[in-house]
Every structure is written in C-alpha cells, then in structure tokens.
Amino acid sequence: MKKELVVFTGAGISAESGIKTFRDSNGLWEEYDISEVATPEAWNKNYKLVLDFYNKRRKQVLEASPNAAHKALVKLEEKYKVTIVTQNIDDLHERAGSKNVLHLHGEIIKARSSVDPTLIYPIQGWEIKPGQKCEKGSQLRPHVVWFGEEVPEMPKAFKIVEKVDILIVIGTSLNVFPAASLIYYTRPSTPIFLIDPNAGNLEQLPVLKIIRKKASEGLNELVELLMNEHAD
Ligand code: NAD
C-alpha cells in the first residue's frame, strides 16, 4: 500500500513560471484593488472590468509552462498516492502531469454561468467576452472563487487531509481562509513540510519542518529525501 501524501500549493509554486503571486512585493495586489476585480460586488458594479482582469490573467497562464517544481511533484506519484490541493486557478499542475488535482479556488481556463454554478464550460481562446451567455441566458463569468464567496471544495479537502501520512505545503502566505486552515486538519503526528522562501514561523505546529527556499530548489531536496524514505 502506498503512503498518502497531500501537496497543498499556493501562488508561489507558479512564480517560477512567470505568474505573479498576490501578496509579494511586486505582486498583483499592488497593481489592483481586490474589491474592484475579485468580489461579487465588483461583478455587480462593473462586470466588464472583472472580465478584463481575468482575461489578462488567463492569457498569461496560457502562455506559461509548468516549472521544475510542478514536475518534481509528478515524480512523487511513483512511490506515494499523491493528491494536490491547490489554491491556484492556473492549470500548471495538470499540464506537468499530476493526476489528482483539487482546485479550491476554481479554474481560470473555464467559464461558468452567473445564475447556475453547475453550468461550467471550457473557454475557447483566452477571453470571456461581454455578451457571451450560458444556456440559461446569463452572462458567463470566470470559474473562480471570489473573496466573500463560499469555497465549495473545502469539506472534501479537509477530509483528504485528515487521513494523510505526509503533508507538503508550498508557496502560500497562508493568509486566505478557509483554505489556509487546511494545515491544522492533519493528525497530530503527521509530518508537515513547508517550502517558501519567506515562510513565517508557525511555531504552534511542532511537526513542521520549514524549508526557506524557492519551490524548485526546496522540492529538489525534499523529493530526493521522500523517494529514499523506507516504507513502513
Ligand atoms: P500569496 O500571494 O498570498 O502568497 C504567495 C507565497 O508564495 C508567499 O508566501 C511567497 O513567499 C511565496 N513565494 C514567492 N515566490 C516563491 C517561490 N519561487 N517558491 C515558493 N514560494 C514562493 O498566494 P496564496 O497564498 O496562494 O494566496 C492565495 C490566493 O492567490 C489564492 O486565492 C489563489 O487563488 C490566488 N492566486 C493564484 C495564482 C495562480 O493560480 N497561479 C496566482 C496568484 C494568486
């Protein structure tokens, strides 16, 4: 039986692919006001501005490629049962070859109805245009979770993490809730590895080992360690 391993990723794992994080200096929130582009209120006030913001993000994602960190996680599947739980809305884990990816905050390459969340569509090209409608006649919106909206996949993620043998956390400021609370749902003895060059201390978690490096470099070391670990 393979050990179960969950990798919880944030914007930092895609930084080396050229996709900006949110909160680093030079991050996206220095250029944009969250409340103007990533909330239901913003959509109601000026949906064209919201579409434009996500169209630009989508274009950038389509032009980017998975980096060494995304690829290193695929290698772990040879020895572990791996689930990626990501806050990222890009599809770089899938394009690297990870088989089992749960998107907590949605997927930018998809559109959905603004009246029925079960109507989800692939996007042709990089834009959702004003006037593009779902089959119920409402404007299509990006298939992402905005600030102030529920995170429908959260209960599933908590369940996965509760029984995991190893948790790896990569490139997240652990500032966005409820997603960030995931790290407190493991069993008390489960080892947790955190890879982030700017990681805080999180001293309340005694099982935590912090690797203060970029995702590709930190994972290079960690994957080697985990691939050489003896199975129980
Ligand atoms: P965040 O911007 O709050 O934090 C990014 C973290 O990544 C920081 O702690 C930073 O130190 C770290 N980091 C920067 N460069 C790194 C590197 N090379 N290697 C490893 N770590 C690095 O991002 P977050 O915690 O994911 O914020 C949550 C929200 O941001 C989510 O809702 C997510 O949907 C959204 N987001 C997604 C993308 C994407 O899909 N690629 C990009 C930006 C933001």
Side-chain angles (χ1 to χ4, degrees):
M1 275 264 283
K2 285 180 171 175
K3 278 193 180 177
E4 293 198 24
L5 190 152
V6 165
V7 189
F8 177 43
T9 62
I13 196 167
S14 297
E16 290 169 80
S17 294
I19 299 177
K20 280 189 175 181
T21 62
F22 274 8
R23 286 175 193 74
D24 288 312
S25 57
N26 198 24
L28 273 174
W29 293 148
E30 289 204 340
E31 287 171 49
Y32 292 90
D33 178 348
I34 299 183
S35 62
E36 295 293 328
V37 291
T39 60
E41 293 74 23
W43 179 256
N44 292 334
K45 186 173 151 202
N46 187 350
Y47 80 95
K48 288 184 183 168
L49 183 72
V50 176
L51 286 180
D52 184 58
F53 171 75
Y54 282 99
N55 285 343
K56 285 185 180 137
R57 308 274 76 72
R58 188 176 305 105
K59 187 162 189 286
Q60 205 184 22
V61 164
L62 292 172
E63 286 165 1
S65 303
N67 65 52
H70 297 103
K71 291 177 190 163
L73 294 177
V74 182
K75 174 124 186 93
L76 286 172
E77 293 185 15
E78 291 169 17
K79 182 162 171 172
Y80 297 90
K81 182 173 179 290
V82 179
T83 306
I84 314 268
V85 178
T86 187
Q87 296 170 89
N88 293 348
I89 55 178
D90 67 51
D91 62 344
L92 296 181
H93 284 301
E94 286 91 338
R95 280 199 263 148
S98 283
K99 291 198 194 75
N100 200 4
V101 185
L102 179 68
H103 284 271
L104 293 180
H105 294 156
E107 295 167 81
I108 198 166
I109 58 167
K110 296 179 182 169
R112 78 165 183 256
S113 161
S114 46
V115 293
D116 181 348
T118 65
L119 298 176
I120 298 165
Y121 307 91
I123 296 172
Q124 310 300 330
W126 62 278
E127 284 177 289
I128 303 177
K129 297 194 180 102
Q132 281 187 315
K133 295 185 174 164
C134 76
E135 64 217 57
K136 292 190 174 170
S138 80
Q139 172 65 43
L140 289 178
R141 58 166 277 181
H143 178 45
V144 300
V145 174
W146 288 324
F147 289 93
E149 290 190 312
E150 271 194 41
V151 183
E153 298 287 15
M154 215 57 234
K156 195 168 167 186
F158 286 141
K159 259 196 135 146
I160 295 170
V161 165
E162 268 169 15
K163 59 182 175 60
V164 79
D165 298 301
I166 301 169
L167 176 65
I168 305 176
V169 182
I170 308 169
T172 169
S173 60
L174 297 170
N175 263 318
V176 175
F177 286 85
S181 58
L182 206 62
I183 61 166
Y184 302 103
Y185 277 74
T186 54
R187 288 171 295 182
S189 59
T190 301
I192 304 178
F193 298 91
L194 168 61
I195 302 174
D196 193 313
N198 310 307
N201 275 328
L202 293 168
E203 277 147 4
Q204 66 273 39
L205 283 175
V207 284
L208 184 74
K209 180 171 179 343
I210 299 179
I211 303 169
R212 283 195 177 80
K213 292 187 173 167
K214 284 187 175 180
S216 58
E217 204 188 333
L219 262 180
N220 207 2
E221 284 173 25
L222 184 58
V223 168
E224 182 156 334
L225 182 93
L226 292 173
M227 292 305 284
N228 290 324
E229 202 205 40
H230 291 291
D232 288 339

